[in-house]
Amino acid sequence: MSARDWLLDESPTSRWQAGAGRAYAAARLLLRNPLAVVGGGIILLLVLTAALAPLIAPESPLGQNLSNRLLPPSSAHWMGTDELGRDIFSRVVFGARITLMIVVLVAVISAPLGMIVGAVSGYFGGWTDRVLMGLTDIFLSMPKLILALAFAAALGPGIENAVIAIAITTWPAYARISRAETMTWRNSEFVAATRLLGASHARIIGRHILPLCASSTIIRVTLDMAGIILTAAGLGFLGLGAQPPLPEWGAMISRGRTFILDQWWVATMPGLAIILVSLGFCFLGDGLRDALDPKGQAKS
Amino acid sequence: MTAIALRGLNIAYAGTPVVRDVTLDVAEGESFALVGESGSGKSTVLKAITGLAPEWTGSIEVLGRPAAHHPDRKLARVVQMVFQDPYGSLHPRKTVDAVLTEALAIHGIGDRDARVEAVLRDVGLDRRFRFRYPHQLSGGQRQRVAIARALVLEPRILLLDEPTSALDVSVQAEILNLLKRLRAEHRLTYLLVTHNLPVVSFMCDRVAIMNRGRVVEIAPAAALHDGEFQDSYSRQLYAASGGNSPMESAGR
Amino acid sequence: MTAPLLSVRDLRVSFPRRDGGRINVVDGLSFDLGRERLGIVGESGSGKSMTGRAILRLVRPPGRVEASRLAFEGEDLTTLSERRMRALRGARISMVMQDPRYSLNPVMTVGRQIAEALRVHTPLGRAATRARVLQMLQDVRINDPERVAAMYPHEVSGGMGQRIMIAMMLIPRPSLLIADEPTSALDVSVQAQVLGLMDSLVRGNGMGLILISHDLDLVARYCDRILVMNAGRVVETCEARRLGEATHPYTRGLLAAVPRMRETRAELPTLDRRAWEGT
Ligand SMILES: Nc1ncnc2c1ncn2[C@@H]1O[C@H](COP(=O)(O)OP(=O)(O)OP(=O)(O)O)[C@@H](O)[C@H]1O
Ligand SMILES: Nc1ncnc2c1ncn2[C@@H]1O[C@H](COP(=O)(O)OP(=O)(O)OP(=O)(O)O)[C@@H](O)[C@H]1O
Ligand SMILES: [Mg+2]
Ligand SMILES: [Mg+2]
């Protein structure tokens, strides 16, 4: 029996085989979508770059060499050097770590927070719903970047605070999505049946409702990643995110702005990195939507 | 001993009364049917017993203990319910195994593997089905899983809300046979909601007929043989079910 | 005889199999339907619902529909554009789906959903729409239409959900109704009234009706002709009144599995699926 047959077996013999089979089916759907494959490839590249940064980067991202100031791209410095003589390619490569960290931290903080708020709100309804959704709407009605700015300014500049500020501005969207999803499930018979087994509300929300909200939230988070990266870069650009000498892409653009007319590469190279990674997340998100969202399938 | 005793039970949803003044007793080991007009409150009575319809007044006693106004963990080991719709009553992303194991986990019951295997054997599903998802099961197989979920905690009373109305006749026959065998083997008490009088005739000892939120008559199932009902609605229901037709009496 | 309302020849619905081949779940079905009542019965999985969906071109990929002829009021359904098809669905052919609770939107009141179904095909004023909706609910024997129209699908009983679905499908006054297990959750007297309503539409408005059901008695009572399906094929066609005299072992098996009012058997016979294999 081949591995494929094992995965596609209609009658799996263990929990593990059933789960693997389902993941395999979803992965196959995803791989059939060319955009998703491109997006996934870009994200994979980002992760590998971040993990192997010291091996990839030819120079230290921080080591200054004032004799090499503002050199244009060449075979020695693929992306040129900046005003302190640092190799921009190396900085962009190390910057991948910071971007990835921001993205992961924001996702880890805001997605679960939003999902839980939304699920609790949709599941209980009534007063709980009104209070939680009122709160959500307040956050939702404020312009994201400005709110993030206000938080970053209040908490003080720095990368951790930038992450917190961005997370605070992104969760309301996930709360809305998972509330809508929860409302369609909360009255279903399997929820009633599970309550009759003696399950607590917490257990029902955690084990039964949240997994059903997960796919639409994951899709949305992936699609939002581009915006998150841009917001992080924006905060960096305004000096409220990562502080020098950290090679954060937005901060790098900000420094390069002074030379934009004569030494275009200083600001452009990190800009290209931002665009590439943002596009990668958008493609992947679109692909995930087609693969995971049953409503999307009905359309085709 | 009475398994379920309802006294002057009134049930409402958000203030709108739906069931009025229901009084009935189901003896332990009995199979009791609840039939009646659509929307007359049959499912609501079952929901009140289990605490899913919390707005009730009057009294509900299950095996001598008063029932709560919310689903109760202790009661869960005594009373379980099977829902009407085999498509809606299973979580779409959970395997049969996960559904059954969870019930045991909630109550901290050990030896889960063996128990899950045993209950699946009980409802006539072989082990090939254990790790399947609901979309890989037919309607009849899903209903068997729902029955297995109800049985895995080894309750003494099963509330069955139209367990076969969504199934075709051949599958219905299998499920009815299964329920009958399980009742004999586990000495279960059934409270069965149905709109199909012949099913009552096959499965039950007594029947209560409901109309517009009230129980209008309680009769032995044998009344279905000769149509000896007191109430006019019961007689009408019996006639509409083809109870008086000569084809029926000839036994076809 | 005039041209039939619906004419189906050699209808096939297939799904891909694991090994790359395709399996026919409806396999060469042919029938003509006039302004009459046709019943389709058969075991679970025999392809009854797929037949109904195929006529409306609602079979989702990877499922595939083929037919040498599929004509409705002289129009060839196989070549109609998706846009024309959408205009046809609901307005001239409608289908009561088997799983009403799934087919209704859980977060919209039932009144609005029925009004929506009407509005798409016959735009009326607000008050007129509402009056039609309430009248329709009354027609399917919902006692308190005002209250029910304001309810969400989870607040209605099983049988009310089915009747709401029927109301939704009948309100645009289609010329063909495909009803897939429309009354499985109804008690007999309401069932009789709802089927009576469909019946009067067949007689009065010349609607065609395809009634899919596993309830043999009901089909025998409310249809003119019956197709018995098994594994995607028609195994027997008979006059509805003659169903009791059906000869095919499969049909006999189905009949025997029905519990009777004066039941004395300790166990119901179930279908022995080997008995008619190869027929
Ligand atoms: N959650 C709810 N909120 C408000 N009203 C409800 C709710 N559930 C049921 N009802 C109402 O209570 C009445 C009885 O419903 P119930 O489901 O008990 O009927 P039933 O006898 O089981 O009918 P059926 O045979 O059609 O399933 C109906 O009028 C229904 O609209
Ligand atoms: N998406 C699918 N992929 C593969 N096979 C399918 C799919 N959908 C349906 N089938 C198969 O098509 C066959 C016919 O299904 P259909 O729903 O028409 O049965 P039915 O006669 O309506 O049964 P029931 O009485 O249970 O409703 C079944 O064997 C089913 O397994
Ligand atoms: Mg009910
Ligand atoms: Mg069907």
Side-chain angles (χ1 to χ4, degrees), chain A residues 101-183:
Chain A
M101 184 184 80
I102 292 176
V103 159
V104 168
L105 280 181
V106 169
V108 163
I109 297 171
S110 67
L113 179 69
M115 274 172 73
I116 291 170
V117 169
V120 167
S121 177
Y123 180 80
F124 289 108
W127 272 110
T128 323
D129 187 34
R130 248 168 284 164
V131 170
L132 286 177
M133 279 302 118
L135 203 67
T136 309
D137 283 342
I138 293 174
F139 276 95
L140 211 53
S141 63
M142 285 192 241
K144 242 184 178 171
L145 189 63
I146 293 179
L147 197 62
L149 264 177
F151 273 106
L155 298 171
I159 195 149
E160 302 82 7
N161 291 344
V163 166
I164 293 172
I166 297 172
I168 285 174
T169 59
T170 44
W171 69 266
Y174 312 138
R176 277 269 162 210
I177 292 174
S178 73
R179 175 175 176 268
E181 195 91 18
T182 305
M183 304 258 286

Side-chain angles (χ1 to χ4, degrees), chain A residues 180-188 295, chain C residues 100-110 113 151-155:
Chain A
E181 195 91 18
T182 305
M183 304 258 286
T184 67
W185 295 110
R186 71 161 175 202
N187 295 309
S188 53
K295 286 168 218 135
Chain C
R101 301 249 184 132
Y102 264 8
S103 313
L104 292 171
N105 180 348
V107 292
M108 203 197 259
T109 63
V110 299
Q113 291 185 59
M151 285 178 147
Y152 288 92
H154 75 271
E155 297 175 329

Side-chain angles (χ1 to χ4, degrees), chain A residues 210-298:
Chain A
L210 285 183
L212 290 168
C213 303
S215 52
S216 46
T217 311
I218 288 173
I219 293 165
R220 182 61 195 266
V221 169
T222 316
L223 287 171
D224 277 359
M225 279 305 169
I228 291 171
I229 292 171
L230 291 176
T231 313
L235 289 178
F237 182 85
L238 295 170
L240 291 169
Q243 295 300 299
L246 278 184
E248 199 270 328
W249 295 344
M252 285 166 72
I253 298 179
S254 162
R255 304 289 301 265
R257 158 183 69 148
T258 349
F259 322 104
I260 191 86
L261 291 180
D262 302 316
Q263 286 88 21
W264 54 268
W265 59 89
V266 182
T268 310
M269 293 304 174
L272 286 179
I274 291 176
I275 293 174
L276 184 70
V277 173
S278 305
L279 271 183
F281 276 111
C282 281
F283 288 166
L284 185 65
D286 268 342
L288 279 176
R289 177 161 54 201
D290 293 343
L292 296 181
D293 191 355
K295 286 168 218 135
Q297 277 168 25

